[in-house]
């Protein structure tokens, strides 16, 4: 842990001195040891080609590692990478997934980006809706839930409202999660879902 | 607007509204006043009583006007429990009654009565045999609705009355006939019920008026000692308070209009119900709930799709239907719970109810909107 921290501190010092080629090995070592901040800088170095040949694939890899650790800024960055297909396949649904996570983690900056990403993800909504229907008919609740989440993340107001209802009290094997439920309610309202708008207005009126 | 919730309330025909207005403006006298417009008002009330009693198939002198079906039910139940107080404190009713019956029964339980709640079968039906099995020497009241407001099931009042007679029971038989009046033909003098509750606004009258019919076994003189409202002695001393003449006039006019074309209206509603059944059951995922025979009520379920969402969605398109009963909005229906329906069926129940004005095109619009809902919304997991 101490090495990891000192590698990060020294690596950061060198980074700000623009000695990128000296900073990279230290930050990389700390990143590989799991230091999230170092992961973020390594991703930037690969993305910008500082101190190393530009490598979008490696940048994407490190942005993903950072996002997975719960860094809401990295989630948004990785969402853009997935949308643009920089160093990875372009994937509108995954882009929406990470941008939604970022927004739901409290990153208000993600809201505008997400609205743009969702506007481009209508095919993904259709595919997820069809997959949901098939899974639901087959009685595969787990897969149905996964597809419902994809449809919601990609901007289906109906899916968002369904998730709100499902999570608010819990259903079957899905436990109640009122915080997530209300985030989906807000999303649905912003998508223009009439019932969500009315319900949210009522909730806010009572607050 | 497409209105398919006639079991909740009904549109008021222009002639009825005109009658109400005319009464308010030109016949505003107090029926208890001795001068001209008072006497006119008294005569008006008398005519209204005759009209409604005639439609009920009973005697005008046995009809008490009330403010609504709920008041009639409450009064009937309290009255029967009081009349039978020296016989016992046992009541039989069904688990699928309107809350206007269930709640006063619960109150009486709090006061020491015991109540047997008969459970319906999976189609929503109650049998006379169930009443026979539950009947006790200390039973003082059997309260069974004529038509269930959520399923349209018609309950066998005549047979239940026969059960009571053959058992020599002193229990009074009450029926909440709010959904049956002028929908399922019956006559008060042959139905076998001792107390019959009806409401005006279910048949085109304004809200705020109902009636309770008291059969021959109800001791009206004794009942005065347990009047619903004590005061000036109106309604034969059973419900004091200045008569709501305009509502009564509207009630009588609505009854007249319904009776004038009753056979045609009933045949039309039955045909519409059959058409709705065919159109709605043709939608994948829609099932029928109960096998109600009343011509104006049809319960279906879009299985797994919360009915509150459906009602909101349809409402946004100008289509009015009810998620179960409009009287307990937001709560799970005790009727469908009592029928032991699977949870996903219960969650999606819609009550569609018809009137003489309902057209096939209304049903087509409902079917299309319901299909659209199914195709765009996500069901419960």
């Amino acid at each position: 842990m101490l090495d990891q921290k000192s590698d990060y501190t020294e690596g950061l010092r060198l980074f700000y001195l623009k000695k990128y080629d000296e900073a990279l090995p230290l930050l990389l070592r700390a990143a590989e040891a799991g230091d999230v901040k170092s992961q973020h800088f390594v991703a930037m170095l690969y993305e910008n080609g500082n101190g190393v040949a530009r490598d979008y694939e490696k940048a994407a890899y490190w942005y993903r590692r950072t996002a997975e650790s719960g860094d809401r800024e990295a989630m948004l960055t990785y969402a853009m990478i997935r949308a643009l297909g920089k160093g990875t396949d372009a994937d509108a649904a995954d882009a929406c997934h990470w941008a939604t996570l970022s927004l739901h983690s409290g990153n208000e900056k993600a809201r505008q980006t997400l609205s743009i990403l969702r506007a481009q993800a209508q095919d993904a909504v259709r595919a997820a809706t069809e997959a949901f229907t098939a899974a639901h008919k087959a009685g595969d609740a787990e897969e149905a839930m996964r597809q419902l989440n994809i449809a919601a993340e990609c901007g289906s107001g109906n899916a968002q409202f369904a998730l709100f209802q499902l999570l608010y009290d819990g259903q079957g094997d899905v436990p109640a999660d009122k915080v997530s439920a209300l985030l989906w309610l807000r999303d649905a309202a912003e998508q223009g879902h009439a019932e969500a708008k009315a319900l949210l207005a009522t909730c806010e009126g009572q607050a | 607007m497409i209105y398919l919730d006639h079991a909740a309330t009904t549109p008021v025909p222009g002639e009825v509204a005109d009658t109400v207005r005319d009464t308010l403006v030109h016949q505003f006298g107090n029926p208890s006043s001795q001068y001209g417009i008072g006497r006119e008002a008294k005569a008006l009330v008398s005519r209204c009583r005759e009209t409604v009693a005639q439609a009920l198939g009973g005697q005008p002198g046995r009809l008490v006007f009330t403010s609504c079906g709920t008041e009639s039910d409450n009064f009937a139940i309290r009255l029967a429990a009081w009349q039978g107080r020296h016989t016992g404190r046992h009541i039989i009713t069904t688990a699928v009654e309107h809350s206007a019956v269930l709640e006063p029964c619960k109150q009486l339980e709090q006061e020491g009565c015991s109540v047997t709640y008969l459970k319906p079968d999976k189609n929503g039906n109650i049998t006379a045999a169930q009443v026979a099995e539950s009947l006790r020497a200390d039973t003082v009241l059997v309260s069974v609705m004529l038509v269930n407001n959520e399923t349209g099931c018609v309950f066998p009042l005549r047979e239940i009355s026969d059960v009571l007679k053959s058992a020599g029971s002193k229990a009074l038989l009450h029926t909440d006939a709010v959904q049956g009046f002028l929908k399922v033909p019956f006559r008060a003098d042959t139905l076998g019920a001792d107390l019959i509750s009806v409401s005006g606004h279910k048949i085109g009258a304004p809200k705020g008026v109902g009636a309770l019919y008291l059969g021959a076994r109800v001791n009206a003189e004794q009942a005065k000692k347990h009047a619903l409202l004590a005061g000036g002695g109106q309604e034969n001393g059973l419900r004091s308070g200045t008569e709501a003449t305009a509502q009564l006039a509207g009630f009588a006019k609505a009854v007249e209009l319904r009776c004038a074309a009753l056979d045609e209206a009933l045949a039309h509603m039955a045909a519409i119900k059959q058409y709705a059944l065919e159109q709605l059951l043709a939608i994948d995922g829609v099932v029928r709930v109960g096998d109600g025979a009343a011509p104006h009520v049809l319960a279906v379920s879009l299985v797994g799709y919360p009915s509150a969402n459906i009602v909101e969605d349809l409402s946004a398109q100008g289509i009015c239907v009810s998620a179960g009963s409009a009287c307990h909005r937001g709560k799970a229906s005790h009727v469908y719970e009592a029928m032991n329906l699977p949870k996903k069926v219960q969650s999606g129940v819609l009550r569609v109810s018809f009137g003489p004005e309902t057209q096939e095109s209304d049903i087509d619009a409902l079917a299309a909107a319901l299909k659209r809902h199914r195709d765009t919304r996500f069901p419960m997991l």
Side-chain angles (χ1 to χ4, degrees), chain A residues 125 128-129 132 136-137 141 144-145 147-148 151 156 158-162 165-166 171 174 193-195, chain B residues 284 303-306 308-314 316 343-344 372-381:
Chain A
V125 169
T129 304
F132 171 90
H136 189 261
K137 275 190 179 165
M145 182 69 178
Q147 295 297 340
L148 182 62
S156 161
N158 285 333
Q160 291 161 352
F161 191 67
Q165 292 192 310
L166 194 153
Q171 196 183 103
V174 181
H193 192 279
E195 291 145 58
Chain B
D284 188 26
V303 180
Y305 290 78
N309 293 355
I310 303 173
V311 170
E312 288 289 341
D313 190 17
L314 297 185
K343 199 173 173 187
K344 285 188 179 177
R372 219 163 28 242
H373 185 90
R374 185 207 60 190
D375 290 343
T376 54
R377 298 301 185 100
F378 292 83
M380 294 163 62
L381 293 180

Side-chain angles (χ1 to χ4, degrees), chain B residues 75-89:
Chain B
F75 187 27
I77 289 163
R78 285 274 167 190
L79 193 57
W82 187 80
Q83 183 170 311
R85 67 195 183 284
H86 300 306
T87 303
R89 310 197 77 182

Side-chain angles (χ1 to χ4, degrees), chain B residues 81-300:
Chain B
W82 187 80
Q83 183 170 311
R85 67 195 183 284
H86 300 306
T87 303
R89 310 197 77 182
H90 177 237
I91 294 167
I92 298 171
T93 187
T94 80
V96 296
E97 294 295 309
H98 191 279
S99 50
V101 167
L102 292 176
E103 290 303 318
C105 283
K106 283 182 196 166
Q107 285 181 346
L108 287 171
E109 275 184 302
Q110 297 290 320
E111 295 167 21
C113 290
S114 66
V115 181
T116 301
Y117 298 94
L118 304 177
K119 290 261 187 186
D121 65 14
K122 63 181 169 57
N123 288 318
N125 293 303
I126 298 282
T127 65
Q130 287 176 274
V131 175
E133 285 164 19
S134 302
L135 196 62
R136 306 189 328 208
D138 64 340
T139 304
V140 294
L141 168 65
V142 176
S143 181
V144 176
M145 66 205 320
L146 182 59
V147 174
N148 184 269
N149 52 313
E150 299 194 37
T151 60
C153 286
V154 181
F155 293 159
L157 263 295
R158 183 69 254 175
E159 287 93 323
I160 291 169
S161 165
D162 289 344
V163 162
L164 298 185
K165 276 183 194 154
S166 61
S169 174
K170 288 183 179 174
L172 293 178
L173 176 59
H174 165 245
T175 187
D176 173 346
V178 165
Q179 293 293 347
F181 184 43
L182 299 182
K183 310 281 176 58
V184 174
F186 70 90
R187 287 187 60 84
D189 54 12
T190 57
L191 185 65
D194 302 300
L195 296 148
I196 301 171
S197 304
V198 297
S199 169
H201 76 105
K202 308 291 190 187
I203 56 149
K207 291 151 193 70
V209 62
L212 176 65
Y213 189 82
L214 310 177
R217 293 206 309 153
V218 179
N219 188 332
E221 284 306 309
Q222 285 289 313
K224 285 179 189 173
K225 295 176 185 168
H226 198 66
L228 178 65
L229 297 173
Q234 291 90 340
E235 295 302 303
N236 204 22
L238 294 170
R239 185 190 187 274
S240 291
T242 303
E243 297 89 338
T245 48
Q247 268 103 333
L248 297 180
F251 191 8
K253 176 54 81 175
V255 165
E256 275 176 28
L257 292 175
R258 286 276 170 140
C259 288
L262 189 59
D263 291 343
E264 295 89 326
L266 295 182
H268 175 75
M269 288 191 283
I272 285 286
K273 179 174 174 176
Q274 183 57 34
Y275 183 72
L277 201 53
E278 288 163 10
Q279 298 306 307
L280 298 179
L281 293 188
I283 299 170
D284 188 26
V286 173
V287 298
R288 187 173 184 185
V289 173
D291 60 1
H296 66 303
V297 179
L298 174 63
V300 296

Side-chain angles (χ1 to χ4, degrees), chain A residues 35-204:
Chain A
D35 182 68
V36 178
K37 289 174 187 165
S38 299
Q39 289 170 353
H40 192 79
F41 281 103
V42 169
M44 286 192 338
L45 290 171
Y46 279 121
E47 185 183 17
N48 298 322
N50 291 332
V52 66
R54 189 190 299 265
D55 189 333
Y56 286 131
E57 206 167 318
K58 284 185 177 164
Y61 169 80
W62 284 110
Y63 274 126
R64 182 180 181 100
R65 288 279 301 268
T66 320
E68 283 171 348
S69 70
D71 183 318
R72 59 195 188 194
E73 290 292 342
M75 288 172 180
L76 185 57
T77 306
Y78 187 64
M80 292 307 298
I81 284 170
R82 287 298 269 162
L84 298 169
K86 274 173 77 177
T88 178
D89 295 338
D91 187 329
D94 203 39
C96 289
H97 167 70
W98 286 106
T100 302
L101 274 183
S102 181
L103 178 65
H104 285 192
S105 301
N107 185 8
E108 277 301 314
K109 283 189 285 183
R111 193 175 296 280
Q112 196 176 359
T113 304
L114 187 55
S115 114
I116 294 164
L117 293 178
R118 283 176 172 171
Q120 295 166 355
Q122 291 313 295
D123 287 345
V125 169
R126 273 188 289 277
T129 304
E130 282 171 19
F132 171 90
T133 305
H136 189 261
K137 275 190 179 165
D140 185 347
E142 196 178 326
E143 177 61 10
M145 182 69 178
R146 198 176 75 80
Q147 295 297 340
L148 182 62
N149 267 290
I150 293 172
E153 287 166 350
C154 291
S156 161
N158 285 333
Q160 291 161 352
F161 191 67
L163 266 181
F164 154 69
Q165 292 192 310
L166 194 153
L167 291 171
Y168 194 78
D169 290 320
Q171 196 183 103
D173 293 334
V174 181
D177 178 353
K178 287 192 166 43
V179 172
S180 295
L182 292 171
L183 288 168
W184 285 120
L185 178 65
R186 186 171 291 280
D187 273 10
E190 283 176 7
Q191 292 292 122
H193 192 279
E195 291 145 58
K197 280 164 75 176
L199 192 54
L200 194 63
T202 306
C203 293
E204 288 174 346

Side-chain angles (χ1 to χ4, degrees), chain A residues 6-37:
Chain A
S6 60
D7 281 346
Y8 168 68
T9 308
E10 180 59 13
L12 193 63
R13 191 183 70 81
L14 293 166
F15 180 90
Y16 283 120
L17 290 171
K18 297 192 178 176
K19 294 181 178 177
Y20 301 123
D21 53 342
E22 293 175 44
L24 181 61
L26 296 174
L27 291 170
L28 195 54
R29 195 160 60 197
E32 280 166 349
D35 182 68
V36 178
K37 289 174 187 165

